[in-house]
Amino acid sequence: MTRGPNGAAGPGGATLRPMRWWDIAPVMELELRLFPEDAWSTGMYWSELAETHPGGTRHYTVATTPDGAVAGYAGLMVVAGEGDVQTIAVDERLQGAGLGAVLLADLVQESARRGCTELLLEVRVDNPRAQRLYERFGFEPVGIRRGYYQPANVDALVMRLDHPSTDPKTDVMKDPRHG
């Protein structure tokens, strides 16, 4: 089991580790609670995890509490030097404690480790809290995808981070109000 950036336990003692098949059920519980209109399917997670092998295009992480419960998760796709944040989510009861920042730092560092020159993501235009998190990490808006989130037909703000770094954002991690 790995720790958060700098080897420290994350907010609430949470630790990060690679997502495995047995995490899909608790991840789906969170997914359905957090994204009821546009939740991914169980099959989508199986497909994503199939690409997490060495040399694969995916990197998925779960944050677990000291009692082993899944408190959050995040996923990254890397193809031809370009990274894309596939998903990031934190249990609503733990939001605002910094766990989102820890998960995002893991994805940024992994994209840098894999040699990405840029890291992209989509975020709902009606989610300013997530947008602020991404901005603190240096992501900048680069466009809008109209009607991206279905069936609600909500637009996505596309954001990009140029030249991701393996340097953990320790300044962001120290403030527990972030994420």
Side-chain angles (χ1 to χ4, degrees), residues 54-150:
T57 60
R58 303 298 195 273
H59 170 82
Y60 274 77
T61 299
V62 292
T64 58
T65 60
D67 66 357
V70 173
Y73 55 92
L76 172 72
M77 175 179 70
V78 175
V79 176
E82 183 176 290
D84 190 83
V85 173
Q86 298 292 288
T87 188
I88 186 165
V90 174
D91 187 318
E92 66 269 29
R93 297 166 293 193
L94 299 171
Q95 290 177 3
L99 190 51
V102 172
L103 286 162
L104 183 58
D106 178 72
L107 298 184
V108 170
Q109 292 171 29
E110 182 65 19
S111 69
R113 190 185 71 74
R114 292 184 183 210
C116 291
T117 57
E118 66 179 10
L119 180 58
L120 296 164
L121 60 81
E122 293 87 16
V123 59
R124 290 175 66 113
V125 295
D126 59 359
N127 190 347
R129 185 180 201 167
Q131 292 172 32
R132 285 190 303 271
L133 170 66
Y134 302 138
E135 287 169 354
R136 284 197 315 273
F137 274 76
F139 284 85
E140 296 181 350
V142 294
I144 298 283
R145 293 194 181 174
R146 302 278 176 217
Y148 183 81
Y149 293 98
Q150 294 296 326

